Amino acid sequence: MKKFLLSSLALLAVVTTSAQYYPNGRPIPPRHRNVYYGRTSNYYRTNTYPRYGNTYYGIRIGLGLSTVNSDALALDANSPRTGLNIGVAVGTQLTPAAPLFVESGLYYTEKGGKSTYNNQDFTYQLNYLELPVVLKYKAYAAPGMTIEPFVGGYASVGVGGNIKDYSDRQAYSSFSSNDPNSFRRLDAGIKLGVGASFRMLYLEASYDIGLANVGHYQFEDTRTGCLNLNLGFNF
């Protein structure tokens, strides 16, 4: 078993070091390699962006550190909550003249927060399906490596979650149209952050700034916020 593991690691290292990639992590077909490397060299001499591989697909998984800020004390979370963040992404280049991309996708993300109100402890679990749309600029830091700041927005719909009252040992749905101490399903806001890719590997940090009032109270605003740290691969 030990010999098999060492052999597998050695084979993986050989494949990784010998593979040839576009800057966005996609493998270069043999018939394109001579042309591509000529254009890449020209890029570093004249700042001409390579035009190959202008669409990519990715998978993402990570954690979110979220909170709920509300003027209504019953919904205000004074401590953050950690949740799962997983999804798929697709991006395409807007113009061959610049490394400017538009990226979207579909994510399952867990938001919410923790609160102490009237000497009672609550946890708000707000689970969403989220659709982001961002504008991303890929700055080439080294061959095969890019730094990718982005800004855009997101829209999401609540698909599940509970509000847990630990003092009374009760739990009820986070999204309800009848209970004023619950949340509305629809949320939307601004997304901004920065990513970094090395060949196929992708790392990202972003922040969701909720702009929609997700509470039922008309005169008290309730908004979400979430710091996301994701790891993934681009193809």
Side-chain angles (χ1 to χ4, degrees):
M1 185 66 181
K2 182 177 181 181
K3 291 183 178 180
F4 175 77
L5 179 59
L6 292 175
S7 299
S8 300
L9 292 175
L11 180 60
L12 179 61
V14 170
V15 172
T16 303
T17 56
S18 62
Q20 302 183 64
Y21 296 90
Y22 291 125
N24 65 4
R26 298 178 62 191
I28 304 172
R31 65 183 182 278
H32 287 161
R33 288 175 185 170
N34 290 336
V35 178
Y36 170 76
Y37 284 118
R39 293 187 61 86
T40 304
S41 299
N42 187 54
Y43 165 73
Y44 286 106
R45 291 196 303 268
T46 66
N47 292 326
T48 300
Y49 178 72
R51 300 187 183 185
Y52 289 118
N54 59 355
T55 299
Y56 61 88
Y57 305 89
I59 56 175
R60 308 282 188 263
I61 186 169
L63 295 176
L65 188 65
S66 62
T67 188
V68 177
N69 297 307
S70 179
D71 297 329
L73 296 180
L75 300 180
D76 188 50
N78 45 40
S79 297
R81 176 179 179 267
T82 302
L84 178 66
N85 191 28
I86 184 170
V88 294
V90 58
T92 187
Q93 188 178 352
L94 292 178
T95 169
L100 191 63
F101 291 73
V102 61
E103 181 180 297
S104 185
L106 185 63
Y107 290 77
Y108 169 78
T109 179
E110 298 177 343
K111 298 183 179 181
K114 300 177 182 180
S115 175
T116 300
Y117 174 66
N118 283 342
N119 295 320
Q120 293 181 300
D121 295 326
F122 294 89
T123 296
Y124 309 124
Q125 298 175 342
L126 308 176
N127 304 332
Y128 294 96
L129 283 180
E130 182 175 293
L131 177 70
V133 179
V134 300
L135 193 63
K136 176 177 288 189
Y137 183 86
K138 293 193 176 188
Y140 284 78
M145 181 177 180
T146 58
I147 305 298
E148 307 174 9
F150 59 87
V151 62
Y154 72 91
S156 57
V157 58
V159 294
N162 293 319
I163 298 176
K164 296 182 179 180
D165 182 347
Y166 287 93
S167 299
D168 292 340
R169 308 292 294 177
Q170 294 181 351
Y172 48 95
S173 175
S174 297
F175 303 105
S176 173
S177 58
N178 300 321
D179 188 351
N181 290 326
S182 64
F183 298 87
R184 296 177 179 174
R185 289 188 181 274
L186 298 182
D187 190 15
I190 297 172
K191 178 182 286 288
L192 52 88
V194 62
S197 65
F198 180 72
R199 296 185 175 180
M200 297 180 69
L201 181 64
Y202 180 77
L203 301 172
E204 179 183 279
S206 66
Y207 193 81
D208 293 347
I209 304 172
L211 298 181
N213 182 7
V214 297
H216 291 288
Y217 296 101
Q218 296 296 321
F219 299 101
E220 290 86 11
D221 286 338
T222 302
R223 306 184 193 277
T224 61
C226 188
L227 173 65
N228 302 300
L229 301 175
N230 287 338
L231 170 68
F233 296 93
N234 288 335
F235 305 96

